[in-house]
């Protein structure tokens, strides 16, 4: 049946994070004790007041009809207010906001609206796995600029300037970054903004989904800088900071023409996001932020725990993540080593498969994120699970010769 499928889908790579999670689930179903550190999935429950808002919305009975395509007006107004007051994006209004079924949906809308065949999009690497595939699906060409361990995996404005061509249509980065946990400072983003402004009609997509899990105390939004509102599409949502992954609510703040375009395409593809989930998201945004702050504090504690455990494993090299809930260690020291079964570790893929089968811990290959010498480890798990997982990893790596 493969011949009946489009080239578009046949050429698309499967999400590496979801693929590893699927494999781990299959092993768990066989009774194997797998510790899953592959998905970006908060292990906390959605805060109680958000759950209650969803229940109240169901009881009210007003939110069973199709929602407005761009989202409920009060939610869009609350998002715009948040962006003005907390992110200092002074021009943000409800008309600039489009609410979608998760931030991934938002990003898909953006590229389907912006990209013509052959347009280039510069991606700051390492990058979230879906960026490149969505760009290619839209007919675009991903162009990677790479950060490395030595500079905390942050590509620079100078690299961006060198990568821009006549075909460059957009730039995309995440901060805090998935997969590295790195955070761009205000100074670094100001330099990037100057490069973006130097090319006519170039826009930057700022993925800020991990904004609330930031250990630096300073989150900078590039859309707040002078002259950048009309050049910036800010992407955010409720999945990470509010532990609402399954509720699927994301949003963009964009110049009006782009916001209207995204609303137009969303109207044809999915229509508005789920009504009950939007009511829950509104409660998260305007309600008690205490649970969100407690989760961020717990992530910081876990980061420090995992950092100490990783530094105790010979051959592992890591920086100190400043946000999100990932480590992205360089594991290239293990390339060329042999397993107890005399299989050679030749890549990060081999490394992950070895640990899955030997240590029963699931990680994700860095190759999927544009960094083939690294792996991604999520510490969105309990402290007891993290301690056990790192113990297993250390013991299993010691068996390599």
């Amino acid at each position: 049946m493969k011949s009946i499928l489009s080239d578009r889908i046949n050429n698309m790579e499967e999400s590496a994070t979801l693929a590893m999670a699927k494999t781990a689930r299959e092993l768990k179903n066989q009774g194997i004790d797998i510790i899953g550190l592959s998905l970006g999935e908060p292990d906390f429950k959605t805060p109680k007041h958000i759950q209650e808002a969803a229940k109240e919305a169901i009881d009210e009975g007003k939110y069973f009809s199709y929602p407005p395509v761009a989202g409920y007006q009060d939610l869009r107004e609350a998002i715009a207010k948040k962006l003005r007051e907390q992110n200092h994006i002074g021009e943000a209004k409800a008309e600039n906001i489009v609410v979608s079924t998760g931030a991934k949906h938002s990003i898909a809308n953006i590229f389907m609206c912006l990209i013509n065949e052959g347009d280039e999009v510069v991606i700051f690497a390492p990058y979230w796995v879906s960026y490149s595939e969505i760009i290619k699906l839209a007919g675009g060409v991903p162009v990677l600029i790479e950060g490395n361990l030595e500079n905390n995996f942050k590509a620079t404005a100078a690299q961006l300037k060198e990568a821009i061509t006549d075909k460059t249509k957009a730039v995309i980065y995440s901060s805090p970054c998935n997969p590295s946990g790195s955070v761009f400072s205000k100074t670094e983003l100001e330099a990037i903004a100057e490069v973006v402004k130097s090319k006519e009609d170039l826009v930057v997509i700022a993925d800020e989904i991990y904004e609330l899990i930031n250990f630096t105390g300073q989150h900078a939004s590039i859309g707040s800088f002078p002259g950048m509102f009309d050049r910036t599409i800010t992407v955010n949502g409720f999945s990470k900071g509010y532990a609402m992954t399954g509720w699927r609510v994301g949003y963009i703040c964009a110049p009006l023409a782009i916001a209207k375009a995204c609303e137009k395409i969303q109207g044809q593809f999915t229509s508005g996001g789920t009504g009950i989930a939007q009511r829950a998201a509104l409660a998260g945004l305007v309600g008690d932020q205490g649970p969100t702050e407690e989760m961020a504090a717990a992530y910081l504690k876990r980061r420090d725990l995992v950092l100490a455990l990783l530094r105790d494993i010979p051959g592992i090299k890591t920086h100190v993540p400043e946000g999100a809930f990932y480590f992205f260690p360089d594991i290239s020291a293990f390339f060329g080593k042999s397993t107890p079964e005399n299989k050679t570790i030749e890549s990060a893929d081999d490394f992950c498969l070895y640990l899955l089968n030997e240590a029963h811990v699931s990680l994700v290959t860095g190759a999927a994120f544009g960094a083939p010498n690294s792996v991604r480890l999520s510490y969105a798990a309990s402290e007891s699970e993290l301690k056990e997982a790192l113990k297993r990893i250390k013991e299993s790596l010691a068996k390599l010769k």
Side-chain angles (χ1 to χ4, degrees):
M1 290 294 289
K2 185 176 180 181
S3 61
I4 202 171
L5 300 177
S6 69
D7 292 341
R8 185 182 305 110
I9 195 66
N10 285 332
N11 293 332
M12 181 184 287
E13 296 288 338
E14 182 180 7
S15 167
T17 53
L18 298 181
M20 180 57 85
K22 179 182 177 182
T23 303
R25 280 195 301 271
E26 290 170 351
L27 292 174
K28 272 191 172 183
N29 291 337
Q30 297 172 23
I32 300 173
D33 178 23
I34 300 293
I35 300 177
L37 304 181
S38 58
L39 274 184
E41 177 81 40
D43 63 318
F44 297 101
K45 291 183 178 179
T46 303
K48 196 70 176 177
H49 67 285
I50 298 175
Q51 297 182 38
E52 292 301 324
K55 294 174 185 177
E56 290 172 11
I58 292 171
D59 291 340
E60 285 180 42
K62 296 193 302 184
Y63 302 103
F64 301 147
S65 302
Y66 290 125
V69 172
Y72 289 116
Q73 184 67 18
D74 56 352
L75 176 57
R76 295 166 70 201
E77 289 175 354
I79 291 169
K81 181 180 179 183
K82 179 262 182 195
L83 291 170
R84 290 193 302 271
E85 295 181 354
Q86 297 178 26
N87 301 78
H88 310 295
I89 303 176
E91 298 97 326
K93 300 176 183 176
E95 65 187 8
N96 302 112
I97 309 301
V98 179
V99 178
S100 302
T101 310
K104 183 183 287 191
H105 183 197
S106 297
I107 292 168
N109 282 345
I110 291 165
F111 285 124
M112 293 300 288
C113 288
L114 290 184
I115 301 301
N116 290 315
E117 196 73 28
D119 285 343
E120 295 176 353
V121 179
V122 178
I123 305 176
F124 280 66
Y127 59 90
W128 180 53
V129 294
S130 292
Y131 290 162
S132 61
E133 294 306 307
I134 294 172
I135 290 165
K136 289 188 283 187
L137 182 65
V141 179
V143 176
L144 305 186
I145 55 173
E146 300 176 7
N148 53 42
L149 182 67
E150 287 65 38
N151 68 352
N152 290 329
F153 292 107
K154 292 190 283 187
T156 65
Q159 288 175 277
L160 173 61
K161 184 175 182 180
E162 188 174 338
I164 290 174
T165 71
D166 291 341
K167 295 182 178 181
T168 307
K169 192 72 168 286
V171 178
I172 186 168
Y173 71 89
S174 62
S175 180
C177 177
N178 177 4
S180 70
S182 299
V183 175
F184 281 107
S185 68
K186 182 178 180 181
T187 300
E188 289 165 334
L189 289 179
E190 285 174 338
I192 291 167
E194 290 305 311
V195 176
V196 171
K197 287 189 289 186
S198 70
K199 185 180 187 301
E200 187 177 1
D201 294 331
L202 181 63
V203 296
V204 60
I205 299 140
D207 184 347
E208 301 185 359
I209 191 69
Y210 290 92
E211 174 190 5
L212 297 178
I213 310 172
N214 185 335
F215 312 135
T216 70
Q218 296 179 330
H219 176 81
S221 292
I222 199 169
S224 69
F225 300 158
M228 284 303 294
F229 181 76
D230 290 333
R231 297 288 199 121
T232 303
I233 306 167
T234 302
V235 178
N236 210 323
F238 298 84
S239 294
K240 311 302 182 179
Y242 295 95
M244 293 179 67
T245 51
W247 297 76
R248 310 310 303 133
V249 187
Y251 61 85
I252 64 167
C253 175
L256 187 58
I258 295 174
K260 289 297 183 185
C262 288
E263 180 180 4
K264 180 179 179 182
I265 197 167
Q266 186 162 295
Q268 291 290 3
F269 275 20
T270 62
S271 295
T274 305
I276 303 303
Q278 288 192 52
R279 306 321 293 167
L282 179 61
L285 194 62
V286 303
D288 181 13
Q289 301 301 301
T292 293
E293 293 166 0
E294 290 172 7
M295 285 188 279
Y299 288 131
L300 177 57
K301 185 179 178 183
R302 294 175 186 181
R303 183 204 69 176
D304 292 343
L305 168 67
V306 174
L307 178 63
L309 294 172
L310 281 174
R311 284 178 168 172
D312 193 43
I313 302 176
I316 294 282
K317 294 187 291 185
T318 186
H319 73 307
V320 182
E322 296 178 319
F325 39 66
Y326 306 109
F327 276 88
F328 201 58
D330 184 308
I331 47 83
S332 59
F334 298 95
F335 296 171
K337 292 194 174 185
S338 298
T339 71
E341 294 79 24
N342 288 319
K343 293 183 179 179
T344 303
I345 303 292
E346 296 181 347
S347 65
D349 298 62
D350 293 341
F351 182 92
C352 288
L353 287 173
Y354 170 69
L355 288 182
L356 183 62
N357 292 313
E358 181 71 26
H360 298 158
V361 175
S362 66
L363 308 176
V364 188
T365 171
F369 302 95
N373 288 343
S374 296
V375 296
R376 192 187 76 172
L377 180 158
S378 168
Y379 55 89
S382 69
E383 290 186 26
S384 60
E385 284 182 308
L386 292 169
K387 289 177 182 177
E388 176 62 21
L390 271 295
K391 174 177 173 287
R392 293 184 190 181
I393 290 172
K394 183 178 181 179
E395 291 173 351
S396 297
L397 294 179
K399 297 177 183 178
L400 297 175
K401 304 298 181 184

